[in-house]
């Protein structure tokens, strides 16, 4: 083979040889993780300084690429899979998911419509039904139910929320009504809700943050007050976003109470009813355990619901599972069919074209990793992992309750423990900085009622009880040290 004239098509033989090497490099990295600093250990620009400005001319030996992966890329990674990773929410991964993404890349499917990949489309439909069954979601969300509902994989919760807002915009008068349309979310909602509302074109002054109660959950009475005021001034409520498991503290908005407020003002299923979307990006994953299904109370009465298997099911980022009770407003908002996308299958009405359920046209074969993980690891092991993480968070919360320096900032829920130092925000922040600088753990800080709060999120696939014991002793040391300063 002439290396200088290697083509995309004839590299297969060469890469048969490199595939085990790539696998080996990954194994070596995964084995090394416990010894690596968890957070970034390079300064801004470190990698840029080491990457050539000019693209390669002739093909290079792949051995050099692998060497640079080790020397240049690895040091600039954040080790999200490390047992000391307690930041943000997890984005945990697994071997079957990684192999599925490899397979999906090699299969090279473009699943924009059924006709461009029946496999990607129908596997996705069945996987969304499986996940709905595994989490005890209402049956009208499933494709195998005769109604207009169904599920789709979005690239992120942010995209799913944007789609929900577009569906609300569509159902409540469409773009002609946009200037008067209003969106409601709790003050604790994820920033993606505001971003989505802006992208969807809602006026900034019509994006309303509903106050929360002492548990940081949306107050239905405040929502009712805002809706009534807006209706009285001729505005058009178009969407309400509730959160099950907020990012800061895992607070849960009262979905049944929110639905009651809507029922009291709008006909269920009526054309003027604001779209009720539930963002359960993190917490929704826990409903694979029957003991956490109470979180879903009221979800059978909402328009759309999503969670992120890419956070907590080991189904490598990106994979947001989203369900709608009625697909029509979504498709009305997002379907445009130029001549080059017309095809018999679409026109027959017998297929699902997922391009109409999302913003971009093209779509990856993400269902493959759901299929691989559910079949190879199994729902039982995922539920056990969730239980293990929650039990470790319970253990941590109990330690905090009897601690000399730290308090729980809010009652802890699922795998998240939010704590604050008794000496105040500056000390909490100083302790966090010290912990992160140690490289042994990675933690993030949020604010509750203007006060700094350290979030301890347990979700690494490899975290063991000993790691959590170590985390707590590091937090105690940092707390004690910070206190003295
Ligand atoms: C409640 C909630 N919603 C939305 C998001 C955004 O998720 P994504 O990165 O999938 O857009 C997050 C991220 O942590 C979240 O916690």
């Amino acid at each position: 083979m002439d290396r200088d004239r290697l083509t995309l098509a004839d590299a297969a033989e060469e890469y048969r040889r490199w595939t085990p090497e790539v696998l080996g490099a990954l194994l070596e990295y995964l084995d090394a993780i416990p010894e690596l600093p968890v957070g970034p250990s390079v300064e801004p620009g470190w990698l840029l300084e080491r990457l050539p400005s000019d693209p390669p001319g002739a093909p290079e030996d792949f051995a050099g690429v692998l060497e640079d992966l080790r020397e240049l890329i690895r040091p600039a990674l954040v080790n999200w899979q490390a047992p000391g990773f307690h930041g943000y929410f997890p984005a945990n991964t697994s071997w079957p998911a990684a192999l599925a993404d490899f397979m999906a890349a090699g299969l090279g499917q473009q699943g924009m419509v059924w006709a461009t990949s029946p496999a990607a489309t129908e596997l996705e439909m069945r996987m969304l039904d499986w996940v709905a069954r595994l989490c005890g979601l209402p049956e009208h969300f499933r494709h195998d139910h005769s109604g207009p509902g169904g599920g789709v994989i979005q690239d992120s919760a942010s995209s799913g929320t944007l789609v929900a807002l577009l569906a609300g915009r569509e159902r409540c008068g469409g773009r002609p009504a946009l200037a008067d349309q209003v969106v409601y979310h709790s003050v604790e909602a994820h920033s993606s809700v505001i971003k989505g509302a802006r992208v969807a074109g809602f006026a900034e002054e019509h994006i309303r943050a509903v106050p929360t109660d002492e548990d940081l959950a949306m107050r239905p009475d405040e929502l009712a007050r805002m809706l009534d005021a807006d209706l009285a001034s001729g505005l058009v409520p178009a969407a309400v976003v509730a959160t099950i498991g907020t990012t800061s503290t895992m607070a849960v908005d009262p979905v049944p109470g929110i639905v009651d407020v809507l029922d009291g003002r709008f006909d269920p299923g009526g054309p003027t009813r604001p779209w009720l979307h539930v963002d359960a990006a993190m917490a929704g994953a826990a409903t694979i355990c029957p003991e956490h299904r109470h979180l879903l109370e009221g979800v059978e009465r909402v328009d759309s619901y999503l969670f992120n298997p890419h956070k907590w099911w080991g189904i490598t980022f990106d994979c947001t599972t989203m369900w709608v009770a009625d697909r029509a407003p979504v498709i009305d908002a997002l379907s445009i069919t130029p001549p080059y996308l017309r095809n018999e299958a679409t026109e027959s009405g017998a297929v699902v074209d997922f391009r109409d359920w999302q913003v971009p046209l093209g779509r990856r074969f993400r269902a493959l990793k759901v299929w691989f993980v559910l079949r190879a690891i199994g729902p039982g092991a995922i539920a056990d992992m969730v239980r293990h993480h929650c039990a470790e968070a319970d253990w941590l919360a109990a330690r905090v309750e009897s601690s000399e320096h730290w308090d729980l900032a809010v009652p802890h829920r699922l795998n998240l423990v939010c704590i604050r130092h008794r000496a105040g925000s500056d000390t909490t922040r100083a302790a966090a900085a010290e912990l992160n600088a140690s490289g042994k753990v990675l933690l993030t800080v949020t604010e509750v009622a203007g006060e700094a709060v350290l979030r301890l999120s347990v979700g690494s696939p490899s975290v063991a009880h000993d790691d959590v014991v170590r985390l707590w002793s590091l937090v105690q040391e940092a707390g004690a040290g910070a206190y003295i300063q």
Side-chain angles (χ1 to χ4, degrees):
M1 193 185 317
D2 179 357
R3 279 212 52 86
D4 287 347
R5 303 180 71 83
L6 200 65
T7 67
L8 289 178
D10 70 12
E13 273 318 306
E14 168 130 356
Y15 284 90
R16 195 184 291 271
R17 180 162 79 83
W18 285 111
T19 304
E21 301 281 338
V22 171
L23 201 63
L26 179 55
L27 276 167
E28 194 201 337
Y29 164 70
L30 294 176
D31 286 346
I33 279 186
E35 309 312 320
L36 300 174
V38 186
S41 47
V42 296
E43 295 299 319
W46 181 91
L47 179 58
L48 276 172
E49 275 168 25
R50 286 160 178 79
L51 295 172
S53 313
D54 291 326
E60 298 173 26
D61 187 352
F62 196 68
V65 178
L66 283 184
E67 192 181 321
D68 285 351
L69 183 82
R70 191 185 157 75
E71 300 302 323
L72 301 182
I73 302 299
R74 256 176 63 166
L77 292 176
V78 166
N79 297 305
W80 282 73
Q81 309 307 315
F85 185 93
H86 299 285
Y88 310 96
F89 278 141
N92 62 25
T93 187
S94 65
W95 276 106
L99 293 177
D101 260 359
F102 171 77
M103 181 64 80
L107 293 174
Q109 294 296 285
Q110 228 299 10
M112 50 198 174
V113 292
W114 181 91
T116 62
S117 184
T121 303
E122 293 188 11
L123 188 66
E124 184 160 330
M125 292 168 72
R126 187 47 51 95
M127 288 307 99
L128 270 287
D129 284 0
W130 278 10
V131 176
R133 283 174 192 272
L134 286 170
C135 294
L137 291 178
E139 60 175 26
H140 65 263
F141 279 161
R142 296 203 310 257
H143 289 280
D144 63 10
H145 181 266
S146 56
V152 57
I153 302 181
Q154 303 283 357
D155 60 10
S156 62
S158 307
S159 295
T161 296
L162 170 60
V163 166
L165 294 171
L166 293 171
R169 192 185 78 178
E170 193 65 25
R171 188 164 74 187
C172 299
R175 277 176 300 147
L178 187 55
D180 293 327
Q181 289 177 331
V182 188
V183 172
Y184 309 80
H185 60 83
S186 107
V187 291
E188 293 291 322
H190 190 263
S191 56
S192 56
V193 181
I194 297 174
K195 193 192 254 191
R198 286 180 184 168
V199 173
F202 294 98
E204 197 67 27
E205 66 275 17
H206 293 165
I207 305 173
R208 305 236 185 287
V210 183
T212 49
D213 62 16
E214 61 286 358
D215 293 330
L216 304 174
M218 186 193 282
R219 284 181 51 181
D221 60 330
E222 288 287 344
L223 172 66
R225 192 183 56 73
M226 288 178 163
L227 284 168
D228 290 341
D230 288 338
L231 289 168
S233 43
L235 294 175
V236 179
V240 178
V241 179
T243 309
I244 294 180
T246 59
T247 315
S248 267
T249 65
M250 203 69 96
V252 175
D253 290 341
V255 175
I258 293 169
V259 183
D260 288 345
V261 166
L262 296 182
D263 281 354
R265 287 158 182 79
F266 309 91
D267 282 347
T272 61
R273 187 182 173 98
W275 187 274
L276 177 54
H277 172 63
V278 173
D279 171 3
M282 177 68 194
T287 63
I288 194 166
C289 306
E291 66 271 27
H292 295 309
R293 297 242 170 103
H294 59 90
L295 291 167
L296 295 174
E297 209 194 328
V299 163
E300 69 287 354
R301 296 158 72 197
V302 310
D303 293 295
S304 55
Y305 169 86
L306 63 75
F307 84 94
N308 281 352
H310 70 229
K311 280 185 166 39
W312 206 5
W313 279 22
I315 301 183
T316 307
F317 185 82
D318 52 350
C319 182
T320 293
T321 41
M322 176 184 187
W323 294 265
V324 292
D326 179 5
R327 68 189 72 183
V330 175
I331 295 173
D332 289 347
L334 292 167
S335 185
I336 302 175
T337 305
Y340 45 82
L341 286 177
R342 283 199 197 120
N343 65 84
E344 260 178 50
T346 297
E347 273 154 32
S348 76
V351 298
V352 169
D353 289 333
F354 279 125
R355 64 158 191 148
D356 295 333
W357 299 50
Q358 62 174 24
V359 175
L361 170 63
R363 52 201 331 271
R364 307 194 316 111
F365 196 173
R366 297 191 192 92
L368 208 57
K369 57 191 168 190
V370 181
W371 196 48
F372 272 31
V373 170
L374 290 182
R375 294 187 62 190
I377 295 180
I382 298 173
D384 286 347
M385 175 184 66
V386 166
R387 289 190 179 107
H388 162 58
H389 292 154
C390 292
E392 293 303 334
D394 291 347
W395 182 88
L396 269 174
R399 301 284 89 62
V400 176
E401 273 170 335
S402 54
S403 147
E404 201 185 329
H405 300 305
W406 295 92
D407 286 325
L408 289 176
V410 289
H412 97 284
R413 195 174 260 136
L414 299 176
N415 68 329
L416 182 67
V417 184
C418 296
I419 64 175
R420 64 179 162 218
H421 200 284
R422 289 200 183 145
S425 289
D426 289 348
T427 309
T428 302
R429 288 190 194 281
E434 185 183 328
L435 286 158
N436 286 336
S438 77
K440 293 176 184 157
V441 288
L442 188 151
L443 302 156
T444 39
V445 174
T446 187
E447 281 182 16
V448 172
E451 226 189 315
V453 166
L454 188 52
R455 296 168 73 264
L456 312 177
S457 149
V458 186
S460 160
S462 60
V463 67
H465 181 62
D466 285 352
D467 300 307
V468 177
V469 171
R470 189 177 71 137
L471 165 67
W472 178 237
S473 73
L474 289 168
V475 169
Q476 279 179 300
E477 277 166 35
Y483 204 60
I484 293 160
Q485 278 166 10

